[in-house]
Amino acid sequence: DFMIQGGGFDGVPKRKTVKPPIKNEADNGLTNTKGTIAMARTGVVDSATSQFFINLVNNRALNHSGQSNFGYAVFGKVVEGLDVVEKIGKVKTIAKNQLFRDYPNPQVVIESVRRIEQE
């Protein structure tokens, strides 16, 4: 009801091999508003690798608000196809096992994404 997440598993599903984590840039001034794309991470501030999420609503609690709540780094925004994102958010989920507690059923695969430079 608040976001969809992807980027961590392949179609099998099996956890992806990832590169080392990146520095969290949640203090970049961008906020977790509906349609924005942000890096997912663990409880460790600088732990983001390949997983991302798309906000389905305005998620102020995920914004940077200081060292005690570093937040989640927004790095993009859905500019076309938000209706598709919302449909993905409505897909029922099941608990397949301990690793996959909110697994979409049927499985959802994002087949293409385009990066558009901001003008």
Side-chain angles (χ1 to χ4, degrees), residues 1-6 40 52-57 59 62 85 88-89:
D1 295 331
F2 73 102
M3 58 93 134
I4 62 171
Q5 184 167 330
F52 64 92
F53 61 91
I54 303 174
N55 288 290
L56 295 174
V57 297
N59 284 310
L62 303 180
V85 172
I88 293 170

Side-chain angles (χ1 to χ4, degrees), residues 23-42:
K23 180 180 178 342
N24 187 332
E25 297 178 347
D27 57 353
N28 63 13
L30 302 175
T31 58
N32 285 278
T33 56
K34 183 175 181 175
T36 57
I37 308 166
M39 291 303 297
R41 62 174 176 84
T42 67

